Amino acid sequence: MAQGRGTSAVILFWCVLVVVSEMADATSYVVGDNNGWSFHTNNWPNGKKFKAGDVLVFNYSPSQHDVTVVDANGYNSCNSSKASKSFHSGHDQITLGRGTTYFICSFPGHCQQGMKIAINAA
Ligand SMILES: *[C@@H]1O[C@H](CO)[C@@H](O)[C@H](O)[C@H]1NC(C)=O
Ligand SMILES: [Cu+2]
């Protein structure tokens, strides 16, 4: 009986440890670094290695910009009409799923001025 409880405690300990270490493993990125989410951010992802679970933080003024999730076509043509999600808080924290996620600003002309990023998460 006492032995059973001990085993449960050990299993629980390992579960907690696994969850905590997975959380610690996720990286948080401020998009555009000190410039925030703004024009000409399209090259910001270059050289970074993202993974599923990482968090992107978009800082911007909600009266001037937004964060809109689109597909590859929407990204390439800067067309937000088929957006799957849109964020407006000015401080959006978005957890990446596996694969490529395309973010653009849907304000007229902003995406064309490089307010767009394609993030590939392993
Ligand atoms: C954006 O995409 C939609 C649907 O895919 C299309 O109807 C619309 O004409 C496009 N807008 C522009 C400006 O290309
Ligand atoms: Cu914008």
Side-chain angles (χ1 to χ4, degrees), residues 37 58 60-62 64-68 86-88 92 104-107 110 115:
W37 173 231
F58 291 81
Y60 58 94
S61 163
Q64 293 172 41
H65 305 293
D66 67 13
V67 178
T68 299
S86 183
F87 302 85
H88 310 275
D92 307 316
I104 68 173
C105 177
S106 75
F107 280 54
H110 289 199
M115 210 163 172

PDB file of all heavy atoms in Angstrom, residues 37 58 60-62 64-68 86-88 92 104-107 110 115:
ATOM      1  N   TRP A  37       5.610  45.411 -34.209  1.00  0.00           N
ATOM      2  CA  TRP A  37       4.932  44.961 -35.447  1.00  0.00           C
ATOM      3  C   TRP A  37       4.694  46.213 -36.282  1.00  0.00           C
ATOM      4  O   TRP A  37       3.856  47.042 -35.936  1.00  0.00           O
ATOM      5  CB  TRP A  37       3.655  44.258 -35.054  1.00  0.00           C
ATOM      6  CG  TRP A  37       2.696  43.831 -36.106  1.00  0.00           C
ATOM      7  CD1 TRP A  37       1.353  44.094 -36.122  1.00  0.00           C
ATOM      8  CD2 TRP A  37       2.937  43.001 -37.249  1.00  0.00           C
ATOM      9  NE1 TRP A  37       0.770  43.489 -37.203  1.00  0.00           N
ATOM     10  CE2 TRP A  37       1.722  42.813 -37.915  1.00  0.00           C
ATOM     11  CE3 TRP A  37       4.092  42.397 -37.770  1.00  0.00           C
ATOM     12  CZ2 TRP A  37       1.588  42.056 -39.070  1.00  0.00           C
ATOM     13  CZ3 TRP A  37       3.982  41.646 -38.923  1.00  0.00           C
ATOM     14  CH2 TRP A  37       2.749  41.484 -39.566  1.00  0.00           C
ATOM     15  N   PHE A  58       3.058  40.372 -30.597  1.00  0.00           N
ATOM     16  CA  PHE A  58       2.900  41.472 -31.548  1.00  0.00           C
ATOM     17  C   PHE A  58       2.555  42.744 -30.770  1.00  0.00           C
ATOM     18  O   PHE A  58       1.473  42.849 -30.187  1.00  0.00           O
ATOM     19  CB  PHE A  58       1.771  41.181 -32.543  1.00  0.00           C
ATOM     20  CG  PHE A  58       2.050  40.077 -33.512  1.00  0.00           C
ATOM     21  CD1 PHE A  58       1.894  38.745 -33.166  1.00  0.00           C
ATOM     22  CD2 PHE A  58       2.456  40.372 -34.815  1.00  0.00           C
ATOM     23  CE1 PHE A  58       2.134  37.727 -34.083  1.00  0.00           C
ATOM     24  CE2 PHE A  58       2.704  39.363 -35.744  1.00  0.00           C
ATOM     25  CZ  PHE A  58       2.541  38.035 -35.376  1.00  0.00           C
ATOM     26  N   TYR A  60       1.870  46.776 -31.063  1.00  0.00           N
ATOM     27  CA  TYR A  60       1.528  47.810 -32.047  1.00  0.00           C
ATOM     28  C   TYR A  60       0.381  48.646 -31.495  1.00  0.00           C
ATOM     29  O   TYR A  60      -0.247  48.284 -30.495  1.00  0.00           O
ATOM     30  CB  TYR A  60       1.114  47.162 -33.376  1.00  0.00           C
ATOM     31  CG  TYR A  60      -0.065  46.210 -33.225  1.00  0.00           C
ATOM     32  CD1 TYR A  60      -1.367  46.647 -33.437  1.00  0.00           C
ATOM     33  CD2 TYR A  60       0.137  44.901 -32.804  1.00  0.00           C
ATOM     34  CE1 TYR A  60      -2.444  45.795 -33.263  1.00  0.00           C
ATOM     35  CE2 TYR A  60      -0.949  44.050 -32.617  1.00  0.00           C
ATOM     36  CZ  TYR A  60      -2.228  44.495 -32.850  1.00  0.00           C
ATOM     37  OH  TYR A  60      -3.298  43.660 -32.644  1.00  0.00           O
ATOM     38  N   SER A  61       0.097  49.741 -32.149  1.00  0.00           N
ATOM     39  CA  SER A  61      -1.050  50.559 -31.781  1.00  0.00           C
ATOM     40  C   SER A  61      -2.279  50.031 -32.501  1.00  0.00           C
ATOM     41  O   SER A  61      -2.321  50.005 -33.733  1.00  0.00           O
ATOM     42  CB  SER A  61      -0.789  52.016 -32.173  1.00  0.00           C
ATOM     43  OG  SER A  61      -2.015  52.708 -32.173  1.00  0.00           O
ATOM     44  N   PRO A  62      -3.312  49.607 -31.765  1.00  0.00           N
ATOM     45  CA  PRO A  62      -4.492  49.002 -32.409  1.00  0.00           C
ATOM     46  C   PRO A  62      -5.254  49.960 -33.311  1.00  0.00           C
ATOM     47  O   PRO A  62      -6.034  49.520 -34.148  1.00  0.00           O
ATOM     48  CB  PRO A  62      -5.364  48.533 -31.245  1.00  0.00           C
ATOM     49  CG  PRO A  62      -4.715  48.967 -30.009  1.00  0.00           C
ATOM     50  CD  PRO A  62      -3.389  49.591 -30.303  1.00  0.00           C
ATOM     51  N   GLN A  64      -3.733  51.782 -35.469  1.00  0.00           N
ATOM     52  CA  GLN A  64      -2.949  51.880 -36.704  1.00  0.00           C
ATOM     53  C   GLN A  64      -2.726  50.555 -37.414  1.00  0.00           C
ATOM     54  O   GLN A  64      -2.406  50.527 -38.605  1.00  0.00           O
ATOM     55  CB  GLN A  64      -1.575  52.493 -36.396  1.00  0.00           C
ATOM     56  CG  GLN A  64      -1.652  53.939 -35.955  1.00  0.00           C
ATOM     57  CD  GLN A  64      -0.300  54.455 -35.480  1.00  0.00           C
ATOM     58  OE1 GLN A  64       0.700  54.157 -36.087  1.00  0.00           O
ATOM     59  NE2 GLN A  64      -0.295  55.196 -34.400  1.00  0.00           N
ATOM     60  N   HIS A  65      -2.828  49.450 -36.671  1.00  0.00           N
ATOM     61  CA  HIS A  65      -2.490  48.148 -37.244  1.00  0.00           C
ATOM     62  C   HIS A  65      -3.367  47.052 -36.654  1.00  0.00           C
ATOM     63  O   HIS A  65      -4.036  47.255 -35.645  1.00  0.00           O
ATOM     64  CB  HIS A  65      -1.020  47.784 -36.968  1.00  0.00           C
ATOM     65  CG  HIS A  65      -0.035  48.792 -37.429  1.00  0.00           C
ATOM     66  ND1 HIS A  65       0.189  49.067 -38.753  1.00  0.00           N
ATOM     67  CD2 HIS A  65       0.801  49.607 -36.736  1.00  0.00           C
ATOM     68  CE1 HIS A  65       1.124  50.006 -38.866  1.00  0.00           C
ATOM     69  NE2 HIS A  65       1.511  50.359 -37.654  1.00  0.00           N
ATOM     70  N   ASP A  66      -3.290  45.875 -37.260  1.00  0.00           N
ATOM     71  CA  ASP A  66      -3.863  44.679 -36.657  1.00  0.00           C
ATOM     72  C   ASP A  66      -2.971  43.491 -37.034  1.00  0.00           C
ATOM     73  O   ASP A  66      -1.972  43.660 -37.730  1.00  0.00           O
ATOM     74  CB  ASP A  66      -5.321  44.464 -37.104  1.00  0.00           C
ATOM     75  CG  ASP A  66      -5.457  44.138 -38.583  1.00  0.00           C
ATOM     76  OD1 ASP A  66      -4.446  43.824 -39.248  1.00  0.00           O
ATOM     77  OD2 ASP A  66      -6.599  44.190 -39.083  1.00  0.00           O
ATOM     78  N   VAL A  67      -3.357  42.329 -36.557  1.00  0.00           N
ATOM     79  CA  VAL A  67      -2.655  41.098 -36.919  1.00  0.00           C
ATOM     80  C   VAL A  67      -3.693  40.162 -37.517  1.00  0.00           C
ATOM     81  O   VAL A  67      -4.665  39.807 -36.842  1.00  0.00           O
ATOM     82  CB  VAL A  67      -1.985  40.434 -35.701  1.00  0.00           C
ATOM     83  CG1 VAL A  67      -1.307  39.130 -36.103  1.00  0.00           C
ATOM     84  CG2 VAL A  67      -0.988  41.387 -35.042  1.00  0.00           C
ATOM     85  N   THR A  68      -3.506  39.807 -38.779  1.00  0.00           N
ATOM     86  CA  THR A  68      -4.477  38.986 -39.480  1.00  0.00           C
ATOM     87  C   THR A  68      -3.786  37.734 -40.006  1.00  0.00           C
ATOM     88  O   THR A  68      -2.735  37.830 -40.646  1.00  0.00           O
ATOM     89  CB  THR A  68      -5.099  39.793 -40.641  1.00  0.00           C
ATOM     90  OG1 THR A  68      -5.758  40.943 -40.093  1.00  0.00           O
ATOM     91  CG2 THR A  68      -6.114  38.972 -41.404  1.00  0.00           C
ATOM     92  N   SER A  86      -8.125  37.086 -36.691  1.00  0.00           N
ATOM     93  CA  SER A  86      -7.673  38.473 -36.651  1.00  0.00           C
ATOM     94  C   SER A  86      -7.530  38.893 -35.194  1.00  0.00           C
ATOM     95  O   SER A  86      -8.346  38.524 -34.354  1.00  0.00           O
ATOM     96  CB  SER A  86      -8.699  39.324 -37.384  1.00  0.00           C
ATOM     97  OG  SER A  86      -8.283  40.642 -37.442  1.00  0.00           O
ATOM     98  N   PHE A  87      -6.475  39.651 -34.911  1.00  0.00           N
ATOM     99  CA  PHE A  87      -6.198  40.103 -33.540  1.00  0.00           C
ATOM    100  C   PHE A  87      -6.081  41.627 -33.533  1.00  0.00           C
ATOM    101  O   PHE A  87      -5.571  42.217 -34.475  1.00  0.00           O
ATOM    102  CB  PHE A  87      -4.896  39.483 -33.029  1.00  0.00           C
ATOM    103  CG  PHE A  87      -4.893  37.985 -33.038  1.00  0.00           C
ATOM    104  CD1 PHE A  87      -4.556  37.283 -34.198  1.00  0.00           C
ATOM    105  CD2 PHE A  87      -5.235  37.261 -31.908  1.00  0.00           C
ATOM    106  CE1 PHE A  87      -4.563  35.884 -34.217  1.00  0.00           C
ATOM    107  CE2 PHE A  87      -5.238  35.872 -31.912  1.00  0.00           C
ATOM    108  CZ  PHE A  87      -4.906  35.184 -33.074  1.00  0.00           C
ATOM    109  N   HIS A  88      -6.535  42.251 -32.452  1.00  0.00           N
ATOM    110  CA  HIS A  88      -6.614  43.720 -32.424  1.00  0.00           C
ATOM    111  C   HIS A  88      -6.180  44.334 -31.095  1.00  0.00           C
ATOM    112  O   HIS A  88      -6.409  45.512 -30.874  1.00  0.00           O
ATOM    113  CB  HIS A  88      -8.073  44.164 -32.649  1.00  0.00           C
ATOM    114  CG  HIS A  88      -8.733  43.522 -33.823  1.00  0.00           C
ATOM    115  ND1 HIS A  88      -8.601  44.023 -35.097  1.00  0.00           N
ATOM    116  CD2 HIS A  88      -9.494  42.413 -33.930  1.00  0.00           C
ATOM    117  CE1 HIS A  88      -9.284  43.238 -35.929  1.00  0.00           C
ATOM    118  NE2 HIS A  88      -9.834  42.254 -35.242  1.00  0.00           N
ATOM    119  N   ASP A  92      -0.732  41.244 -28.779  1.00  0.00           N
ATOM    120  CA  ASP A  92      -1.255  39.903 -28.999  1.00  0.00           C
ATOM    121  C   ASP A  92      -0.162  38.873 -28.801  1.00  0.00           C
ATOM    122  O   ASP A  92       0.932  39.014 -29.332  1.00  0.00           O
ATOM    123  CB  ASP A  92      -1.804  39.787 -30.429  1.00  0.00           C
ATOM    124  CG  ASP A  92      -2.809  40.880 -30.740  1.00  0.00           C
ATOM    125  OD1 ASP A  92      -3.656  41.141 -29.874  1.00  0.00           O
ATOM    126  OD2 ASP A  92      -2.720  41.471 -31.820  1.00  0.00           O
ATOM    127  N   ILE A 104      -0.381  38.991 -41.647  1.00  0.00           N
ATOM    128  CA  ILE A 104      -0.274  40.275 -42.336  1.00  0.00           C
ATOM    129  C   ILE A 104      -1.038  41.328 -41.528  1.00  0.00           C
ATOM    130  O   ILE A 104      -1.831  40.994 -40.642  1.00  0.00           O
ATOM    131  CB  ILE A 104      -0.817  40.237 -43.790  1.00  0.00           C
ATOM    132  CG1 ILE A 104      -2.338  40.044 -43.807  1.00  0.00           C
ATOM    133  CG2 ILE A 104      -0.131  39.146 -44.612  1.00  0.00           C
ATOM    134  CD1 ILE A 104      -2.951  40.157 -45.211  1.00  0.00           C
ATOM    135  N   CYS A 105      -0.793  42.595 -41.843  1.00  0.00           N
ATOM    136  CA  CYS A 105      -1.631  43.669 -41.324  1.00  0.00           C
ATOM    137  C   CYS A 105      -2.670  43.942 -42.398  1.00  0.00           C
ATOM    138  O   CYS A 105      -2.326  44.092 -43.570  1.00  0.00           O
ATOM    139  CB  CYS A 105      -0.804  44.919 -41.043  1.00  0.00           C
ATOM    140  SG  CYS A 105      -1.819  46.300 -40.480  1.00  0.00           S
ATOM    141  N   SER A 106      -3.947  44.019 -41.991  1.00  0.00           N
ATOM    142  CA  SER A 106      -5.007  44.170 -42.994  1.00  0.00           C
ATOM    143  C   SER A 106      -5.300  45.633 -43.307  1.00  0.00           C
ATOM    144  O   SER A 106      -6.166  45.919 -44.125  1.00  0.00           O
ATOM    145  CB  SER A 106      -6.275  43.469 -42.525  1.00  0.00           C
ATOM    146  OG  SER A 106      -6.911  44.228 -41.520  1.00  0.00           O
ATOM    147  N   PHE A 107      -4.624  46.581 -42.658  1.00  0.00           N
ATOM    148  CA  PHE A 107      -4.847  47.991 -42.986  1.00  0.00           C
ATOM    149  C   PHE A 107      -4.348  48.245 -44.412  1.00  0.00           C
ATOM    150  O   PHE A 107      -3.299  47.716 -44.797  1.00  0.00           O
ATOM    151  CB  PHE A 107      -4.119  48.904 -41.979  1.00  0.00           C
ATOM    152  CG  PHE A 107      -4.848  49.076 -40.668  1.00  0.00           C
ATOM    153  CD1 PHE A 107      -5.242  47.980 -39.923  1.00  0.00           C
ATOM    154  CD2 PHE A 107      -5.117  50.344 -40.174  1.00  0.00           C
ATOM    155  CE1 PHE A 107      -5.896  48.139 -38.704  1.00  0.00           C
ATOM    156  CE2 PHE A 107      -5.775  50.513 -38.951  1.00  0.00           C
ATOM    157  CZ  PHE A 107      -6.163  49.412 -38.217  1.00  0.00           C
ATOM    158  N   HIS A 110      -0.541  48.348 -45.921  1.00  0.00           N
ATOM    159  CA  HIS A 110       0.502  48.018 -44.952  1.00  0.00           C
ATOM    160  C   HIS A 110       1.253  46.735 -45.312  1.00  0.00           C
ATOM    161  O   HIS A 110       2.474  46.670 -45.231  1.00  0.00           O
ATOM    162  CB  HIS A 110      -0.084  47.916 -43.553  1.00  0.00           C
ATOM    163  CG  HIS A 110      -0.505  49.250 -42.987  1.00  0.00           C
ATOM    164  ND1 HIS A 110      -0.694  49.484 -41.659  1.00  0.00           N
ATOM    165  CD2 HIS A 110      -0.758  50.419 -43.624  1.00  0.00           C
ATOM    166  CE1 HIS A 110      -1.060  50.755 -41.472  1.00  0.00           C
ATOM    167  NE2 HIS A 110      -1.113  51.331 -42.653  1.00  0.00           N
ATOM    168  N   MET A 115       4.543  44.707 -44.051  1.00  0.00           N
ATOM    169  CA  MET A 115       3.948  44.350 -42.774  1.00  0.00           C
ATOM    170  C   MET A 115       3.321  42.968 -42.908  1.00  0.00           C
ATOM    171  O   MET A 115       2.104  42.785 -42.922  1.00  0.00           O
ATOM    172  CB  MET A 115       2.908  45.392 -42.369  1.00  0.00           C
ATOM    173  CG  MET A 115       2.811  45.503 -40.867  1.00  0.00           C
ATOM    174  SD  MET A 115       2.020  46.960 -40.308  1.00  0.00           S
ATOM    175  CE  MET A 115       1.946  46.497 -38.577  1.00  0.00           C
TER     176      MET A 115
END
